[in-house]
Amino acid sequence: MSENLKIIEIEVLRYHPESDREPHLEVYKVPFTDDMSVLQGAQYIKDNFDGSLTFRWSCRMAICGSCGMMINGIPKLSCETFLRDYHPNRIRIEALAHFPIEKDLVVDLSGFIEKLESIQPYIIPKEPRSLEQGEYLQSPQQFNDYIQFTSCINCTLCYAACPQFGLNPDFIGPAAIALLHRYNMDSRDGAAEERMELVASEEGVFNCSAVGYCSVVCPKHVDPANAVNINKTNAAKDYFLRFLSPKGGSK
Amino acid sequence: MKSGLKRSNAPIFWGLFGAGGMFSALFGPMLVFITGIAVPLGLMLPANTMSYAKMMAFAQNIIGKGFILAVIALFLWFAAHRIFHSLHEIGIHAGVGAKLLCYGSAFIATVISAVVLLSLGF
Amino acid sequence: MEIFKADVVIVGGGGAGLRAAIAVAESDPSLKIALVSKVYPMRSHTVAAEGGAAGVKKPTDSFEYHFHDTVGGGDWLCEQDVVEYFVRQAPIELTQLEHWGCPWSRTEDGHVNVRAFGGMKIERTWFAADKSGFHILHTLFQTSIKYPSIKRFDEHFCVDLVEEDGRCQGVVAIEMSTGEFSLIEAKSVIIATGGAGRVFRESTLGGIVTGDGMALAYRHGVALRDMEFVQYHPTCMPVTGLLFTEACRGEGGYLVNKDGYRYLQDYGLGPLQDKPKNKYMELGPRDRLSQAFFFEQQKGRTIEHPTLGSVVHLDLRHLGEAYLRERLPLIYEMAETFMGIDPAKEPIPVRPGVHYTMGGIKTDGQCAASLKGLYAIGECSSVGIHGANRLGSNSLTELLVFGKVAGVEAARNAKTAAPGNSANLLKQAQAVEQRVMALKTKSSGTERISVIRKEMAQTMEDGCGIYRVEKTMQATCDKLAELRERFKNINIDDKSSVWNTDWLTAIELDYQLDVAMAMAHSAINRKESRGAHQRLDGFEQRDDVNFLKHSEAYYVAGSAPRIALGDVKITTSQPAARVYGAAGEKADQERKASHV
Amino acid sequence: MSKRRPYVRSMDGWWKKNPYFIEYMIHESTALFVAAYAFILLVGLVRLGQGEAAWSGWLDALKSPLSLTCHVVFLVAILYHTYTWFKIMPITMPPIIVGGKRVGPEVITGSGLLAALVASLVLLGLVWRLAL
Ligand SMILES: Cc1cc2nc3c(=O)[nH]c(=O)nc-3n(C[C@H](O)[C@H](O)[C@H](O)COP(=O)(O)OP(=O)(O)OC[C@H]3O[C@@H](n4cnc5c(N)ncnc54)[C@H](O)[C@@H]3O)c2cc1C
Ligand code: SF4
Ligand code: F3S
Ligand code: FES
C-alpha cells in the first residue's frame, strides 16, 4: 500500500425503514488506493464509520451478482468499479433503481426471483436419455445457439436499467426472458411451446419497447435485449399461427 | 408456471408498428423530400410530377393504391403505437382513453384512406 | 416465532446443498424439504469456481488412476474406501449435470471435453470455459426449481441446531429482511455451509465463507476433522486474493521468477516441459507450488512489487489472445479490469492465497455426523476424500457425489425417524433467540467487529501459513484466546431488526473464532509435515508412525479445543513417497510393476 | 410484526436522468413527425378525391414557407428515425451467422442504412420515370 492515501467523497443514499421516513444522502470521506473498488469503499465506511451501512456482497470478482448499485446514476457491479475512475469528483451510490429499497443499498429482489421461477428454467427433455447412454451430443453450432444466454449472473442491473420494468413491475423483464430464451434455444430442451404462454402474456415480451439499455449495462454481455426482442417475433408468429392451424401456437 | 396468464393482443399493434417503422425508415425521408420539398420548390423533378392527372392515374392503379394506403396507414399505426407508449412512459396513464385516441386515430385514418382510394375507382 | 415443519432441512444453498435438495426430492416427492441459505442460492461461493470438476472420461483414464492421484495428492490421509466410491460416482454425477443442462465445454464432435489439472495423471477435468462453478451452481439452482417439494428460505441466516435425545431435530434461522426468528423442525438436518477460509486475510473466498456450519456442528459436540490442512492456491491476485484458476496452468501457462526462470524445476517437479504435462512442473499439486513460492521468496528470487508485495509471474503470453479468450475468458477479463493487464501481452503478477479448507465436520462415508440425524457435505464437511491436500477439481465433484449421498440418506432417515417434541424444540429455539438477540441488544462494548476480524486474520496468516513453526502457532493460539475474550466486549452499531448485517457479521465472527481455534490447535498438535501442513521446526518429514492419523478437534466451552487423533482407512494404497515430475513417473512404473 | 417498510421510488421524470434515456425519448418522439407527415398526406388524398381544384389547393399549400419549413423538420426527424431504427435492429434480430461467425451489430446497422439508401434512390428513380 502506498503512503499518500488519496481521499474520495462517497455520497450514499441511506434509508433505514425503522427510523427514516424516506431515503436521504450522507457523505463520507474515504481514503483509498488505486486498486480499491467502490465495494471496498462501502466496506471501509461500514468497518470504520458506521457499521449499520447495509449492502449485499460476496465474491468480489463480478460473478456472484450480489453487489449491484447505482453508481453516479448508472447500474454497475460495485466490485468491479474502481474509485480511482471517479476521483477527484464525488461519487454517489444508491440502491438499484426500480426496485423497492429494503434498507440502504439493499433492494427487495423477491419479485425478480419469482419471475425466474416462473419461466421453467430447467431442461424439459426433447428426448429422454438415461445416464448409461452418456451425455447428449451438441454440435458447436447447437452450443453457440444458447451459450451466450447462460452467462447471466442474476445481478438485476438490467432491471435497474429498464424503464419499462420501472413503469410496470409485473413485466418479466430482461434477465428472466434471457434465461427463458437460453432454455428454448438449447438443443436438449423441448418446451419452447410451453414457455410461450408466458412470453406472449400481458407480463411478457410486449412490455419491452426496445430501449436497449439493459444490454448496455449488462456486465456479462448476455444481451438480454436481444433475447426479449427475438421473442417478440416468436410470440407474434405464434399469435398469428394460432388462426391458421389448430395445432400451431400455444393455447 | 403461473396460471391465469392473459394473452397479450399486442402482436397486432406490434406487427403494424414494426411494418410501419420499417416502411418509414426505408422510404420516409425520400417521400418527405419529394412531396414536401422537391415538388413544391420545383427542384430536381419535372414540374408536373404531382399534377392532378398523374396523381389520379397513380391512385387508380392497384399498385399505386396499395402504396398510398401503406404509407398513410402504416406510418400512422407506427406513430400511434410509439406515441401511446411514450404517453405511458412520461407518466400519462390515460389508459384506455389514450389507447383509443392513438390507435383510434390510426384506425379512422386507415378507413378514410381506404374509402377515398376505393371511391377514386380503378 | 414462525414454525415450519419439514422432513429434511438443508442449511446451505451452494452446490452441495442444492444437489442434496434435488436428491431428497427425487428419492421421495412426498418429503418436505426446507433449503435455508443466507444468500440467494446462486450467490453461493460455488459460483466462483473456475477450473472444473474431475471425473474419469477418456478411454485412456481409469478409476484406479483417479483414486491414486487423489490419495497420493492427499498425502495418504484420505479415507480410501470413500475415495473408491467417489471416483466411480464422479462421471455419473457429471453426466447427470449435463442432462440437467450444464453447458460443459465440448469437443468438435459434440462430446464433453476435459482438461488437464494439477496433480492429475490424465486429463479428466470437465469444464465450462473458466466458469465451471458458476454453471454448475446455476444449473443446480435452476433445476431445483422444478421440484415443488423444495421450499427455499432464501436470505435466512441459520444460528443454531436444535436437538432432542441425542438427535438433531431442526434449525433456528433469522429471516434477514425482518430480523425475525423461525424454527424449522426436521428429522434430518444437512449442513452444507461451505468453507471457512475467511478466517484468513483476503483470499480467493467470498465474504460469506465464514465457517458457520462447522461452528454449529462443533458446538453440538461433533468433531472438526483435519482442520490444520488449509490449502494455499499458488496463483492468486496479490492484495485482493482473487483467483487465477489452475486451468491457466492446465492450458499451458508458466510460472516464472524475477529472472524469468521456471523455478518449479528446482522443486522436484522437473524436468522442464514445453507443453503442459500432467503432474510435471506447473501441473504439480497446489501445496508443492505454494511451497516453492515460499522458498523462492526466501532466496530473494521473487519479484518485489511496490504495491503488490512479493510476487512471481504467471505467463500466458505464448498462448495467444484468441486461445485465451476462448478458454480463459473470465481470467482475461479479471486481469484487465482488476489489474489493468492484458495477459496476452504481459505476465500476470501472482502469489499464493488461502483457498480451501480440507478439513471440516467429521462424517462417515454416508455423510452422517456423530450426532444422529445430522449430515454434512461439501467444503464444510470432512467425508475423507481430500486428506492433507485437495487436488484441484475434486471438490466440485465432491459436492455432487456426496450431495446426492447425503440427500438419499437424509430422506431415508426422515422416513423412519420419529418427529421431535415440538413444544420442547420451541423452548430450545426461544432460548437460542434470546441468546442471539442479547448479542445485539446488550452489546455496548468498545471493540469494533472489524478490528477483531482483522487481528484474527493476521494471526492466522502468521501462524498457520504455508510453513509453520511451533512458536508462531503458539502465538496464534494465544492471540485467538485473547480475541475470544475481547469479543465479549464488542459493540454492534446497528440495533435495528430489518436487514441488520452488522449483527449478522458479529455472529459470523463468533463462528470464525471457534473455527480458527480448531485450526490453530490442530496445527500445533501435528508434529510432522504432510500435504498442506508443512513445518520448519524439526518436523520437516512426514511421520507415518505417529501421524498417519486424522486430527479431531472437539469443542470445549470457554477454552481451547481438545484434539484427538483418529484412524485413517487404508484399502489398497500404502503410504509412499509423494513424488511428482520425473520421479513421480518412475514411482508409478514401479508400483505398476509390483502389481503384476 | 414485521418492521419492513420497503420504499418505492417514484418514476417521475426518469427519462431526464440519463443521457441514454434522453436520446431514447428523442428518437421515440420522431413518431410525432411521422404522424404529422402522414396526416398531411391523408389530407392530400382526401383533397384528391374531391377533385382537381381541391388538389391544386393542397399542392399550393405545400409551397407555403410554413409547409416547407415543416417538411425540412420532418425530413431531419425522419432521417433520424431511419438511423435509430437500424441502430436498434441488431438487438431485435436473431443472430445471423455467416461463415461460422456472428455478424456484428455494425454490419447489421450498416446494411439497414444501405438498404434505406437504395430504397430511397429506387423511389426517386420511379417517381422520376412516372413523372416523365
Ligand atoms: C475461487 C475458487 C475457485 C475454485 N475452483 C474450483 C475448481 O475449479 N474445481 C473444484 O473442484 N473446486 C474449486 N473450488 C472449490 C469449490 O468451489 C468449493 O469447495 C465448493 O464450491 C464449496 O461448495 P459448498 O456447496 O460446500 O459451499 P458454498 O458454495 O460456499 O455454499 C455455502 C452455502 O451455505 C450457505 N450458508 C453458509 N452459512 C450459512 C448460515 N449461517 N445460514 C444459512 N446459510 C448459510 C451460504 O449461503 C451458501 O449458500 C474453488 C473455490 C474457489 C473459492
Ligand atoms: S442479463 Fe446481464 S444485467 Fe441482467 S441480470 Fe443477467 S448478467 Fe445481470
Ligand atoms: S431496457 Fe427494457 S424496454 Fe426492452 S430492450 Fe431492455 S427490456
Ligand atoms: S461481489 Fe459478487 S458480483 Fe460483486
Side-chain angles (χ1 to χ4, degrees):
Chain A
M1 288 261 176
S2 69
E3 303 291 291
N4 43 3
L5 285 179
K6 289 177 278 187
I7 307 274
I8 188 166
E9 287 187 0
I10 304 185
E11 199 174 24
V12 187
L13 189 72
R14 304 283 316 255
Y15 171 65
H16 279 210
E18 291 154 80
S19 47
D20 298 339
R21 279 196 38 233
E22 53 185 36
H24 59 96
L25 288 163
E26 258 174 61
V27 184
Y28 303 89
K29 288 191 165 66
V30 175
F32 76 102
T33 49
D34 278 350
D35 57 2
M36 258 172 86
S37 62
V38 174
L39 173 64
Q40 283 170 298
Q43 285 168 330
Y44 190 93
I45 298 172
K46 186 174 182 72
D47 283 353
N48 297 284
F49 303 144
D50 183 356
S52 76
L53 179 65
T54 307
F55 48 93
R56 293 185 175 102
W57 65 283
S58 178
C59 71
R60 309 159 298 136
M61 53 187 279
I63 192 76
C64 75
S66 311
C67 68
M69 303 172 185
M70 303 303 283
I71 302 181
N72 283 2
I74 298 175
K76 283 177 183 285
L77 294 179
S78 58
C79 68
E80 61 165 2
T81 306
F82 294 88
L83 292 170
R84 59 170 187 261
D85 296 332
Y86 295 84
H87 185 74
N89 297 320
R90 200 182 251 195
I91 180 170
R92 178 194 288 192
I93 58 181
E94 296 161 88
L96 281 180
H98 306 157
F99 292 98
I101 304 180
E102 288 278 5
K103 179 173 178 177
D104 294 341
L105 302 163
V106 171
V107 294
D108 178 6
L109 289 178
S110 51
F112 168 69
I113 297 293
E114 277 166 31
K115 285 169 189 163
L116 269 194
E117 291 170 344
S118 75
I119 58 143
Q120 299 182 292
Y122 36 80
I123 297 275
I124 301 178
K126 196 185 278 169
E127 296 160 22
R129 195 175 173 91
S130 72
L131 289 175
E132 292 75 46
Q133 287 169 291
E135 74 255 44
Y136 288 89
L137 297 190
Q138 265 185 341
S139 70
Q141 204 219 304
Q142 288 173 323
F143 187 77
N144 285 335
D145 281 345
Y146 74 96
I147 190 68
Q148 169 195 338
F149 302 107
T150 63
S151 36
C152 169
I153 60 174
N154 297 350
C155 64
T156 68
L157 298 191
C158 51
Y159 285 75
C162 176
Q164 299 301 353
F165 167 68
L167 293 163
N168 175 15
D170 290 335
F171 173 31
I172 300 169
I177 294 173
L179 188 64
L180 179 149
H181 191 60
R182 172 247 176 282
Y183 281 99
N184 281 355
M185 295 303 287
D186 192 317
S187 59
R188 294 166 287 197
D189 181 89
E193 220 172 276
E194 266 178 65
R195 296 190 189 98
M196 182 52 81
E197 195 186 346
L198 191 60
V199 170
S201 73
E202 290 193 338
E203 288 89 67
V205 289
F206 291 107
N207 285 279
C208 164
S209 58
V211 174
Y213 199 44
C214 54
S215 287
V216 174
V217 303
C218 173
K220 295 290 153 189
H221 317 295
V222 174
D223 200 353
N226 189 225
V228 177
N229 284 283
I230 292 174
N231 279 290
K232 278 189 206 162
T233 318
N234 293 348
K237 269 191 217 148
D238 183 76
Y239 187 88
F240 295 113
L241 274 179
R242 214 164 45 130
F243 297 115
L244 296 180
S245 97
K247 271 180 277 145
S250 76
K251 286 166 248 178
Chain B
M1 170 89 56
K2 282 197 237 171
S3 55
L5 287 171
K6 232 179 109 193
R7 188 169 187 127
S8 161
N9 51 15
I12 302 172
F13 301 112
W14 179 77
L16 289 166
F17 157 80
M22 182 58 92
F23 207 61
S24 55
L26 288 174
F27 299 111
M30 188 49 89
L31 276 171
V32 173
F33 176 71
I34 294 171
T35 69
I37 299 172
V39 169
L41 288 179
L43 290 175
M44 280 167 78
L45 289 165
N48 66 344
T49 302
M50 281 168 68
S51 70
Y52 182 70
K54 290 231 181 260
M55 284 317 287
M56 276 305 274
F58 185 61
Q60 284 175 334
N61 175 293
I62 183 77
I63 299 177
K65 280 191 203 297
F67 188 79
I68 295 172
L69 185 67
V71 169
I72 297 177
L74 288 181
F75 278 29
L76 282 169
W77 281 106
F78 158 75
H81 186 75
R82 260 204 179 159
I83 293 166
F84 171 64
H85 271 271
S86 300
L87 285 179
H88 168 69
E89 282 160 10
I90 57 175
I92 303 175
H93 303 289
V96 184
K99 199 165 191 165
L100 270 178
L101 195 70
C102 291
Y103 296 119
S105 325
F107 181 73
I108 293 169
T110 308
V111 172
I112 296 176
S113 312
V115 169
V116 173
L117 282 167
L118 281 176
S119 73
L120 289 178
F122 290 87
Chain C
M1 183 169 318
E2 287 264 351
I3 298 172
F4 183 83
K5 287 189 191 333
D7 293 294
V8 179
V9 59
I10 300 166
V11 185
L18 287 166
R19 181 65 189 88
I22 295 173
V24 180
E26 290 205 323
S27 64
D28 185 345
S30 72
L31 293 175
K32 267 207 262 172
I33 304 156
L35 182 62
V36 183
S37 176
K38 64 179 174 180
V39 293
Y40 281 110
M42 69 287 195
R43 319 270 190 234
S44 302
H45 205 57
T46 299
V47 81
E50 299 168 0
V56 169
K57 175 84 181 139
K58 291 193 149 186
T60 47
D61 200 0
S62 74
F63 293 138
E64 284 66 39
Y65 288 160
H66 192 183
F67 171 85
H68 283 294
D69 288 346
T70 302
V71 172
D75 227 346
W76 281 272
L77 209 62
C78 304
E79 294 293 280
Q80 295 187 5
D81 53 343
V82 183
V83 178
E84 278 167 22
Y85 176 80
F86 167 73
V87 299
R88 281 171 193 283
Q89 291 304 305
I92 302 177
E93 276 300 316
L94 294 168
T95 307
Q96 173 66 75
L97 213 58
E98 195 278 337
H99 286 198
W100 284 335
C102 184
W104 296 122
S105 294
R106 295 184 184 250
T107 55
E108 282 297 308
D109 66 359
H111 288 275
V112 170
N113 203 356
V114 283
R115 67 161 42 129
F117 236 66
M120 299 282 190
K121 185 181 168 76
I122 309 278
E123 299 75 12
R124 64 168 77 94
T125 298
W126 302 40
F127 63 102
D130 54 0
K131 298 184 196 163
S132 308
F134 164 82
H135 283 302
I136 291 177
L137 186 66
H138 281 248
T139 301
L140 286 170
F141 172 62
Q142 289 158 15
T143 303
S144 79
I145 291 170
K146 191 163 67 174
Y147 301 93
S149 58
I150 302 174
K151 161 136 173 75
R152 290 203 320 274
F153 292 75
D154 293 338
E155 302 196 318
H156 278 62
F157 189 106
C158 179
V159 282
D160 213 341
L161 312 173
V162 287
E163 55 174 296
E164 196 179 33
D165 302 332
R167 297 189 65 91
C168 192
Q169 293 283 12
V171 304
V172 183
I174 302 173
E175 180 180 21
M176 291 162 67
S177 65
T178 59
E180 282 165 18
F181 285 72
S182 3
L183 165 64
I184 305 174
E185 291 181 34
K187 287 168 267 181
S188 302
V189 176
I190 302 178
I191 299 187
T193 50
R198 275 260 156 186
V199 301
F200 288 81
R201 254 188 0 208
E202 290 294 338
S203 64
T204 66
L205 301 155
I208 60 172
V209 187
T210 47
D212 307 4
M214 293 182 187
L216 291 179
Y218 181 55
R219 289 180 190 176
H220 281 262
V222 178
L224 294 184
R225 183 163 75 182
D226 296 338
M227 292 301 285
E228 65 274 38
F229 299 105
V230 175
Q231 180 165 77
Y232 275 74
H233 196 292
T235 55
C236 298
M237 197 182 290
V239 189
T240 59
L242 297 182
L243 176 73
F244 292 110
T245 170
E246 188 154 296
C248 294
R249 286 169 283 126
E251 297 294 350
Y254 298 147
L255 277 177
V256 299
N257 65 16
K258 72 169 199 236
D259 308 316
Y261 174 69
R262 289 172 68 192
Y263 57 91
L264 293 176
Q265 56 190 298
D266 298 352
Y267 298 92
L269 292 157
L272 205 61
Q273 305 290 325
D274 278 346
K275 291 259 167 300
K277 182 161 176 194
N278 296 319
K279 293 184 142 188
Y280 277 82
M281 292 299 293
E282 283 81 3
L283 288 180
R286 291 179 182 171
D287 53 343
R288 288 291 163 82
L289 267 59
S290 294
Q291 289 153 15
F293 173 89
F294 176 89
F295 285 113
E296 286 294 294
Q297 191 177 16
Q298 299 286 301
K299 292 181 199 155
R301 302 204 303 195
T302 47
I303 302 145
E304 295 311 310
H305 194 283
T307 53
L308 307 179
S310 302
V311 298
V312 288
H313 277 157
L314 172 63
D315 194 345
L316 302 173
R317 290 175 295 180
H318 54 288
L319 299 176
E321 173 163 355
Y323 189 78
L324 292 174
R325 292 251 185 230
E326 181 208 330
R327 291 303 193 94
L328 303 166
L330 182 71
I331 294 307
Y332 210 116
E333 272 180 34
M334 269 171 57
E336 286 180 323
T337 8
F338 289 90
M339 308 185 77
I341 281 180
D342 179 349
K345 300 212 175 77
E346 284 169 82
I348 309 172
V350 295
R351 56 169 293 126
V354 165
H355 181 57
Y356 188 83
T357 34
M358 264 73 76
I361 302 165
K362 179 187 166 191
T363 72
D364 63 17
Q366 275 74 50
C367 308
S370 57
L371 178 60
K372 281 209 187 60
L374 183 69
Y375 302 82
I377 41 171
E379 194 170 333
C380 70
S381 72
S382 168
V383 70
I385 64 167
H386 303 309
N389 170 58
R390 171 190 72 118
L391 288 191
S393 76
N394 262 354
S395 64
L396 286 175
T397 311
E398 173 191 13
L399 308 180
L400 305 169
V401 171
F402 294 101
K404 172 162 184 196
V405 171
V408 170
E409 289 296 313
R412 200 180 43 73
N413 176 63
K415 280 187 275 188
T416 52
N421 172 335
S422 294
N424 184 349
L425 296 177
L426 181 61
K427 217 178 278 162
Q428 277 185 52
Q430 281 160 342
V432 172
E433 173 171 7
Q434 272 183 5
R435 190 190 74 224
V436 178
M437 284 298 277
L439 182 67
K440 173 171 72 178
T441 50
K442 298 231 170 68
S443 95
S444 57
T446 49
E447 296 281 357
R448 278 199 82 76
I449 300 166
S450 58
V451 171
I452 296 189
R453 191 175 60 225
K454 276 177 198 144
E455 291 185 23
M456 167 187 71
Q458 189 57 50
T459 193
M460 288 303 285
E461 205 78 27
D462 296 342
C464 298
I466 301 176
Y467 280 95
R468 302 165 174 182
V469 295
E470 168 106 24
K471 194 162 145 255
T472 50
M473 280 190 282
Q474 189 55 53
T476 299
C477 292
D478 298 345
K479 179 75 187 183
L480 290 172
E482 172 206 317
L483 293 176
R484 257 261 149 263
E485 273 311 300
R486 281 167 55 193
F487 180 80
K488 294 179 183 156
N489 188 31
I490 56 162
N491 181 46
I492 295 176
D493 294 350
D494 192 346
K495 301 277 194 283
S496 71
S497 308
V498 172
W499 260 99
N500 189 336
T501 51
D502 203 21
W503 177 38
L504 299 180
T505 323
I507 303 172
E508 284 173 348
L509 181 59
D510 192 11
Y511 295 148
Q512 286 177 305
L513 287 168
D514 278 356
V515 173
M517 283 171 89
M519 285 176 172
H521 286 272
S522 301
I524 201 167
N525 191 60
R526 184 173 286 279
K527 296 188 170 49
E528 64 154 354
S529 291
R530 182 187 297 272
H533 177 73
Q534 293 290 320
R535 295 186 63 152
L536 292 174
D537 51 353
F539 304 107
E540 285 83 354
Q541 299 306 314
R542 198 172 80 194
D543 174 1
D544 287 334
V545 179
N546 297 304
F547 285 102
L548 185 55
K549 296 274 183 208
H550 294 297
S551 313
E552 293 174 2
Y554 289 92
Y555 181 69
V556 181
S559 117
R562 176 171 67 82
I563 307 293
L565 292 179
D567 289 337
V568 177
K569 175 83 177 176
I570 308 273
T571 57
T572 55
S573 176
Q574 288 304 320
R578 191 166 159 245
V579 279
Y580 291 89
E585 201 153 355
K586 193 155 150 258
D588 263 3
Q589 272 152 13
E590 279 162 14
R591 198 182 60 228
K592 239 185 249 160
S594 72
H595 269 293
V596 273
Chain D
M1 238 272 294
S2 167
K3 300 209 171 87
R4 278 181 65 205
R5 218 155 45 78
Y7 184 87
V8 178
R9 287 162 285 180
S10 152
M11 281 298 283
D12 288 352
W14 63 270
W15 47 276
K16 287 179 265 180
K17 289 182 187 153
N18 187 315
Y20 192 96
F21 296 149
I22 296 177
E23 193 284 331
Y24 167 78
M25 276 311 198
I26 293 174
H27 88 234
E28 290 288 289
S29 67
T30 57
L32 289 170
F33 301 95
V34 173
Y37 176 63
F39 183 72
I40 291 175
L41 292 185
L42 177 67
V43 172
L45 180 62
V46 172
R47 295 312 243 174
L48 188 68
Q50 289 168 347
E52 182 151 12
W55 172 255
S56 305
W58 183 76
L59 271 188
D60 283 341
L62 283 185
K63 291 183 185 142
S64 72
L66 177 65
S67 164
L68 286 167
T69 321
C70 282
H71 278 87
V72 170
V73 174
F74 294 169
L75 180 62
V76 172
I78 299 177
L79 270 172
Y80 191 62
H81 158 64
T82 301
Y83 168 69
T84 55
W85 185 261
F86 291 113
K87 182 124 203 300
I88 300 168
M89 196 140 95
I91 66 165
T92 63
M93 288 188 3
I96 304 171
I97 314 287
V98 173
K101 272 188 112 174
R102 185 167 176 177
V103 177
E106 325 74 37
V107 181
I108 298 177
T109 303
S111 320
L113 291 173
L114 193 70
L117 185 68
V118 171
S120 303
L121 293 177
V122 168
L123 181 65
L124 186 64
L126 279 175
V127 170
W128 183 277
R129 259 200 52 197
L130 287 177
L132 284 180

